[in-house]
Amino acid sequence: MSLETDARIVPATPEAIAKAARALRGGALVAFPTETVYGLGGDATSDAVVARIFAAKGRPRFNPLIVHMPDLAEAEVIALFDERARDAARRFWPGPLSLVLSRRAGGGVSLLASAGLDTVAIRVPAHPVAQALLRATGRPLAAPSANRSGRVSPTEAAHVAADLGDGVALVLDGGRCPVGVESTVLDLTGATPTLLRPGGVTVEALAAALGPIAVAGADPAAPRSPGQLASHYAPALPLRMNAVEAQPGEALLAFGATVSGGFAEVLNLSERGDLVEAAANLFTMLRRLDRPGFTGIAVMRIPEHGLGQAINDRLRRAAAPRS
Ligand code: TXA
Ligand code: MG
């Protein structure tokens, strides 16, 4: 099929935006333009939808995703803002700046969107189509750049459809993205604002508005880089993989229909052996089993294909010896 006749690419008219919002509320993935790059959007409150975003991108790891909101007031529903964060938001939103903040308890954002972390990256995009879509959908939208892992970020609708194939239900065509690079990611959870990813807002502009900015990786005062952050969450209990038989007092994270007995508690990532369902359940179930009453968490073998790669990557980090 040629790109020109791909029926999923539609001009971002009000009708198309309304249709896209319905699709998003029904759990579909929709690509949409922002001022930076096209995003692959999905309902950020659904673990299952977020798992499908990771599957569509073909990422071998779970990196936390940026959650898009229409304005600061809505953003405050899902994260904790102090005066410094509100000040940054008022100066740079809407615009190409993502703020990493503590998740608000009960805020409803999928734990998978945060890759199990206690923080969430939020941005309020300036693009009129992104704004209209967020308001019409009425849900926080998780939206990584709408490319397959390892490819360049798309700045035109045709790039998205060519790259993502069946994973995306609809691509709203809003023309070329004006900024063309991703948003700047700024971590506001520590004493000094820390740049995690350079992007559409310059570090000079941030420093002029907010004072000194640390740079992750470059700065000894800023030990966390996005890559390291992705491995931040690990359970407190010891974890072992490819478990077959129970050891005393262990809890089991199972996968598939055949589960051995003798474990103190069992949660099943996916009884039907579905890796997308397993990914959706991973962080929530790990946290539920990570209780002092157990001696450890045993995890059954997870197949190393599709989202199994990302699940195993995370489990291997959790199972690695602690320093
Ligand atoms: O311009 C953009 O930001 C685009 C458009 C679509 O809005 N979106 C985008 O999202 O680039 P994504 O998911 O591809 O980029 C997420 C970046 C990664 O570098 C990730 O490590 C960082 O944000 N990030 C997300 N949540 C984080 C968190 N809780 N803590 C630290 N870093 C986080
Ligand atoms: Mg990207």
Side-chain angles (χ1 to χ4, degrees):
M1 192 185 339
S2 83
L3 298 178
E4 287 71 30
T5 61
D6 192 324
R8 293 168 306 162
I9 306 180
V10 293
T13 60
E15 295 72 32
I17 291 169
K19 181 180 171 192
R22 280 195 301 277
L24 285 163
R25 283 197 300 271
L29 305 187
V30 170
F32 62 95
T34 80
E35 71 276 31
T36 58
V37 299
Y38 275 78
L40 176 62
D43 180 353
T45 66
S46 164
D47 285 324
V49 169
V50 174
R52 277 193 277 114
I53 294 177
F54 283 108
K57 282 190 63 84
R59 265 190 194 170
R61 288 175 57 176
F62 294 125
N63 289 326
L65 305 179
I66 292 168
V67 176
H68 297 65
M69 284 300 209
D71 56 38
L72 171 59
E74 290 295 316
E76 296 219 25
V77 174
I78 64 167
L80 301 175
F81 283 71
D82 55 14
E83 270 317 306
R84 182 179 67 175
R86 281 192 197 102
D87 184 43
R90 287 191 194 109
R91 287 169 190 262
F92 294 101
W93 284 354
L97 177 67
S98 297
L99 299 177
V100 174
L101 299 164
S102 294
R103 291 165 60 95
R104 183 185 287 281
V109 170
S110 152
L111 200 48
L112 183 60
S114 290
L117 299 168
D118 294 321
T119 56
V120 59
I122 310 179
R123 100 176 179 91
V124 172
H127 197 290
V129 172
Q131 274 288 328
L133 183 65
L134 284 162
R135 293 195 188 277
T137 309
R139 306 256 172 95
L141 294 181
S145 52
N147 52 286
R148 280 187 72 80
S149 181
R151 308 261 179 92
V152 294
S153 296
T155 52
E156 286 178 35
H159 301 169
V160 177
D163 209 20
L164 287 177
D166 294 344
V168 58
L170 200 65
V171 182
L172 289 175
D173 189 348
R176 216 178 252 266
C177 301
V179 176
V181 296
E182 282 99 336
S183 64
T184 302
V185 181
L186 187 69
D187 185 340
L188 289 182
T189 61
T192 306
T194 301
L195 183 77
L196 299 182
R197 178 178 78 179
V201 171
T202 64
V203 69
E204 291 82 2
L206 289 174
L210 307 174
I213 307 289
V215 177
D219 213 313
R224 297 186 297 173
S225 76
Q228 290 168 332
L229 263 169
S231 65
H232 199 247
Y233 173 72
L237 286 178
L239 181 144
R240 66 185 179 98
M241 298 172 69
N242 303 317
V244 179
E245 278 171 12
Q247 288 175 8
E250 267 185 331
L252 178 71
L253 198 55
F255 179 82
T258 316
V259 177
S260 36
F263 290 93
E265 183 166 335
V266 178
L267 292 178
N268 201 323
L269 288 169
S270 173
E271 275 176 39
R272 56 194 161 92
D274 178 328
L275 289 165
V276 179
E277 181 179 34
N281 286 328
L282 179 65
F283 291 108
T284 306
M285 289 187 173
L286 269 180
R287 284 187 181 237
R288 275 169 57 195
L289 293 180
D290 194 18
R291 302 202 306 265
F294 303 126
T295 55
I297 302 173
V299 187
M300 284 173 66
R301 199 186 79 81
I302 311 287
E304 185 74 26
H305 61 79
L307 282 186
Q309 273 185 51
I311 295 171
N312 283 324
D313 168 76
R314 183 49 52 113
L315 291 172
R316 275 192 290 273
R317 290 161 195 279
R322 314 286 163 79
S323 48

